[in-house]
């Protein structure tokens, strides 16, 4: 028992003045008696413990008070603030007890909470991995194109890795609370890149750069606005004293910031380089009678160069009658709903 206490005191996280045991005090007391096992237990129970009440609950005797059935000694640690330090100390004390020659085990009421710190890394990686797999399947169902799905998935991974890294810089440790926030952040991360990629796929015709520009104008702006409004919504959590609210604010700030940066600055650039190409749509089809018929509303929003109002009389009349009223304003309510501004002159239609 003395050797076991020495090994426990030698641990770097154990206070050298924070260990005490009934056995060591009993040895140096005037009541110490080892003439026989019965004399040892009798003197301990009748003489030593009544005079040292702090040890009264540390020794358990048999029914006749002739044998010590079980006992405990106390080891006090330093003030450990980090959850990882607490978990590591618990594991070291358990190893020390398991290797002791006596049937010994290490116990503290807080160990039930320290257990989560031991398992938190594997549990977090497992749950976040499952969440990423589910989001990959959902993204593949709705976005279909493998290149787009891969870009969205890589973007989510980059955001999650960034959150993991900045958690350490910001003083957030892995716990059951932050694990839940990390799982939630996977779902938040999908929106930013998915909207921009969807806009890229909905852009008809043109080069990758033009379609990336279309996605940047029609999706990145709203994504930025939504992210900024979300930041305004959670900024009140800064003034809370609750660790749960504080950690939620920090992780959500990281998610929204990384999501906006990726959606506005990274994804459009990647799409302009490796985005999937789609055959350019014909803006109009020619009927049997020689007139032009519009094939796709989105094609009207696509920029066309040098559509002369005098070069093709049938085309000019069709565009003028279908799209514009007599004063040159947009006539179709569908185009007004889409929000496209169309400038018409004698030389071209320019869709901005």
């Amino acid at each position: 028992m003395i050797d076991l206490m020495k090994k426990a005191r030698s641990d770097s996280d154990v206070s050298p003045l924070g260990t005490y045991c009934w056995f060591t005090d009993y040895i140096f007391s005037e009541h110490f008696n080892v003439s026989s096992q019965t004399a040892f237990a009798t003197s301990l129970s009748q003489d030593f413990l009544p005079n040292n009440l702090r040890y009264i609950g540390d020794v358990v005797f048999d029914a006749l008070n002739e044998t010590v059935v079980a006992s405990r000694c106390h080891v006090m640690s330093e003030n450990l603030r980090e959850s990882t330090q607490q978990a590591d100390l618990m594991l070291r004390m358990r190893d020390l007890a398991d290797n002791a020659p006596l049937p010994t085990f290490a116990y503290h009421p807080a160990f039930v909470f320290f257990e989560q710190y031991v398992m938190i890394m594997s549990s977090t990686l497992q749950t976040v991995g499952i969440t990423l797999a589910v989001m990959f399947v959902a993204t593949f169902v709705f976005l279909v194109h493998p290149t787009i799905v891969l870009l969205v998935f890589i973007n989510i991974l980059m955001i999650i890795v960034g959150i993991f890294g900045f958690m350490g810089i910001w003083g957030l440790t892995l716990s059951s609370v932050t694990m839940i926030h990390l799982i939630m952040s996977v779902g938040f991360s999908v929106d930013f890149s998915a909207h921009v990629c969807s806009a890229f796929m909905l852009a008809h015709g043109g080069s990758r750069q033009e379609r990336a520009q279309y996605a940047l104008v029609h999706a990145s702006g709203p994504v930025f606005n939504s992210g900024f409004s979300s930041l305004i919504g959670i900024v009140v959590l800064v003034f809370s004293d609750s660790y749960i609210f504080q950690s939620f604010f920090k992780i959500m700030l990281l998610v929204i910031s990384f999501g906006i940066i990726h959606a506005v600055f990274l994804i459009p650039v990647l799409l302009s380089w490796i985005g999937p190409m789609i055959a350019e749509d014909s803006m109009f089809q020619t009927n049997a009678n020689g007139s032009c018929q519009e094939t796709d509303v989105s094609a009207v929003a696509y920029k066309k160069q040098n559509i002369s109002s005098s070069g093709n009389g049938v085309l000019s009349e069709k565009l003028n009658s279908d799209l514009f009223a007599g004063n040159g304003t947009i006539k179709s309510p569908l185009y007004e709903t889409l929000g496209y501004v169309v400038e018409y002159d004698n030389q071209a239609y320019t869709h901005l």
Side-chain angles (χ1 to χ4, degrees), residues 267-323:
I267 292 295
V269 176
L270 295 178
L271 290 173
S272 67
W273 291 345
I274 60 174
M277 289 296 297
I278 298 178
E280 182 176 349
D281 298 330
S282 297
M283 187 174 179
F284 295 95
Q285 292 178 349
T286 304
N287 293 334
N289 57 7
S291 62
C292 293
Q293 178 182 358
E294 180 187 340
T295 60
D296 197 335
V297 173
S298 61
V300 180
Y302 181 72
K303 184 177 179 181
K304 295 292 183 180
Q305 300 91 346
N306 297 326
I307 303 178
S308 174
S309 60
S310 59
N312 188 331
V314 177
L315 178 60
S316 300
E317 293 177 4
K318 182 63 178 176
L319 289 172
N320 190 33
S321 62
D322 285 354
L323 299 183

Side-chain angles (χ1 to χ4, degrees), residues 120-256:
I120 194 63
M121 176 60 76
S122 59
S123 299
T124 301
L125 295 177
Q126 181 181 6
T127 51
V128 171
I130 294 174
T131 308
L132 288 171
V134 172
M135 295 312 302
F136 178 82
V137 174
T139 305
F140 188 82
V141 170
F142 288 100
L143 295 181
V144 180
H145 200 285
T147 303
I148 294 297
V149 173
L150 185 61
L151 281 177
V152 172
F153 186 73
I154 292 176
N155 182 68
I156 298 173
L157 282 179
M158 294 174 65
I159 294 176
I160 297 300
V161 171
I163 295 172
F164 268 105
F166 274 82
M167 281 178 59
I169 297 175
W170 213 340
L172 291 174
T173 57
L174 281 178
S175 64
S176 57
V177 174
T178 54
M179 181 180 70
I180 294 173
H181 295 164
L182 283 170
I183 296 172
M184 293 172 58
S185 65
V186 176
F188 283 104
S189 303
V190 175
D191 291 340
F192 299 103
S193 55
H195 287 308
V196 178
C197 291
S198 297
F200 180 85
M201 295 299 294
L202 292 175
H204 290 265
S207 63
R208 289 191 178 98
Q209 288 75 17
E210 290 175 327
R211 296 171 66 203
Q213 183 179 6
Y214 176 91
L216 183 64
V217 171
H218 291 83
S220 294
V223 165
F224 177 83
N225 293 334
S226 65
F228 185 74
S229 62
S230 298
L231 288 177
I232 296 176
I234 65 173
V235 73
V236 294
L237 299 178
V238 176
F239 306 102
S240 174
D241 295 330
S242 171
Y243 172 76
I244 296 177
F245 290 157
Q246 287 282 343
S247 62
F248 180 77
F249 166 76
K250 292 178 180 179
I251 291 181
M252 288 307 301
L253 178 61
L254 293 174
V255 173
I256 295 173

Side-chain angles (χ1 to χ4, degrees), residues 1-25 27-28 54-55 73-78 89 92-93 96-97:
M1 291 178 63
I2 295 176
D3 183 61
L4 187 61
M5 294 298 291
K6 287 182 179 179
K7 290 181 179 179
R9 271 197 302 269
S10 65
D11 191 279
S12 59
D13 289 333
V14 172
S15 174
L17 302 178
T19 59
Y20 62 94
C21 184
W22 64 270
F23 183 66
T24 54
D25 282 4
I27 291 176
F28 296 102
R54 67 170 178 170
Y55 297 124
C73 295
H74 300 269
V75 177
M76 301 298 180
S77 71
E78 301 285 358
L89 177 60
R92 291 198 300 271
M93 291 298 104
L96 182 62

